[in-house]
Amino acid sequence: VRTIDWNVSARSDDVFIKMFEEEREQTLMILFDGSGSGFFGSVNQMKRDLAAEICATLAFSAIKNNDKVGLMIFTDKVEKFIPPRKGRSHVLRILRDIFHFRPRGKQTNIGGAVDLAARVLKRRAIVFLVSDLIGHQFEQSFRVMSRKHDFIAIHVSDPREFELPRVGLLELEDAETGEHYMVDTYDDHFRRSYARRMEQFVDKRKALLQGMKIDMVSVSTAESY
């Protein structure tokens, strides 16, 4: 908010202008998905490591602008919550917790984390959800959050989630449930079907968020964010 005070001298044509600037601090809240599906990567790094780097960049950006920043780490439940505060030491604590975090749970409850964040943030904030968005039944939670706050979803992915290599029999493990699957990657029909389903998954997520006017940014372990 900027206020301009004009002071015109009666004895001359001089005009003095006093400008007052009021800084309005903002609050940045980072929701970090620490579930088991993040422990996967086939190129430069795991999805979890990429997500952690993005969170670090956001946190340092916040203190550079003299804003408050907070952190919520979740799996199938919220495992860590650090209320928003200012300061370099506070941000370093956030980074330490992100990079050294070892989840107790492996599955994902995105909606539960978003619901809790919407309740604890009393004033309007900028909320970043950093996740691979692999989850269910979070649409209503997103709607509530987007009405109360500026909400941005950062979708983290890996190329192998969209295209399987042609290497013959391949054993796959669901990182969240522990289930194992044996697939034949020489089967061209299977590989095309798999790629099509994953593309449809991402397109559906994009359409869902666009319908709620929520910004979505996609990043990959194969590219520089």
Side-chain angles (χ1 to χ4, degrees):
V1 177
R2 177 174 290 181
T3 303
I4 301 178
D5 182 16
W6 295 83
N7 185 1
V8 182
S9 172
R11 292 176 296 178
S12 71
D13 293 331
D14 295 336
V15 178
F16 304 96
I17 301 175
K18 287 192 263 186
M19 302 181 68
F20 304 92
E21 291 192 9
E22 177 186 350
E23 291 188 357
R24 292 286 183 90
E25 67 180 24
Q26 297 191 89
T27 297
L28 175 69
M29 193 69 198
I30 300 171
L31 309 184
F32 177 77
D33 184 350
S35 60
S37 60
F39 289 90
F40 176 76
S42 65
V43 189
N44 299 321
Q45 57 190 155
M46 291 192 293
K47 292 191 296 180
R48 184 188 185 282
D49 295 332
L50 174 59
E53 288 185 17
I54 292 171
C55 291
T57 302
L58 292 171
F60 277 120
S61 176
I63 62 167
K64 184 178 180 181
N65 293 321
N66 200 34
D67 294 331
K68 294 180 179 179
V69 58
L71 173 69
M72 182 178 290
I73 304 178
F74 67 93
T75 53
D76 54 346
K77 58 182 177 296
V78 174
E79 298 200 17
K80 190 82 176 181
F81 173 64
I82 301 176
R85 291 193 183 92
K86 291 183 180 183
R88 185 177 181 85
S89 61
H90 175 69
V91 168
L92 292 176
R93 179 200 171 188
I94 284 178
L95 300 188
R96 184 174 62 249
D97 286 345
I98 289 175
F99 285 101
H100 293 162
F101 174 71
R102 293 294 177 266
R104 292 187 293 272
K106 291 185 176 181
Q107 300 189 31
T108 314
N109 184 357
I110 298 174
V114 172
D115 285 340
L116 180 58
R119 289 198 300 270
V120 300
L121 293 170
K122 303 304 181 184
R123 298 174 59 185
R124 190 168 183 84
I126 303 171
V127 180
F128 281 94
L129 170 66
V130 186
S131 169
D132 54 18
L133 298 179
I134 299 176
H136 304 282
Q137 298 179 343
F138 52 73
E139 291 84 352
Q140 182 58 29
S141 303
F142 277 29
R143 287 191 179 92
V144 172
M145 176 64 82
S146 64
R147 286 197 296 265
K148 292 183 175 182
H149 304 281
D150 295 328
F151 188 37
I152 302 98
I154 299 181
H155 173 233
V156 181
S157 65
D158 184 90
R160 281 288 171 257
E161 293 177 315
F162 300 94
E163 183 180 2
L164 292 175
R166 197 170 186 272
V167 293
L169 289 176
L170 186 66
E171 185 178 10
L172 305 178
E173 179 184 357
D174 188 318
E176 297 195 3
T177 66
E179 293 183 80
H180 288 250
Y181 307 88
M182 187 69 71
V183 298
D184 182 7
T185 60
Y186 280 148
D187 185 339
D188 292 337
H189 173 73
F190 169 76
R191 287 190 296 110
R192 286 195 299 268
S193 176
Y194 172 85
R196 186 169 58 252
R197 286 198 300 269
M198 290 304 299
E199 288 176 3
Q200 289 172 346
F201 165 78
V202 175
D203 290 343
K204 183 179 179 181
R205 287 285 184 263
K206 286 181 179 178
L208 174 68
L209 270 61
Q210 286 174 354
M212 292 186 282
K213 297 182 179 179
I214 298 172
D215 290 330
M216 174 176 161
V217 180
S218 295
V219 296
S220 170
T221 58
E223 301 171 351
S224 170
Y225 61 88

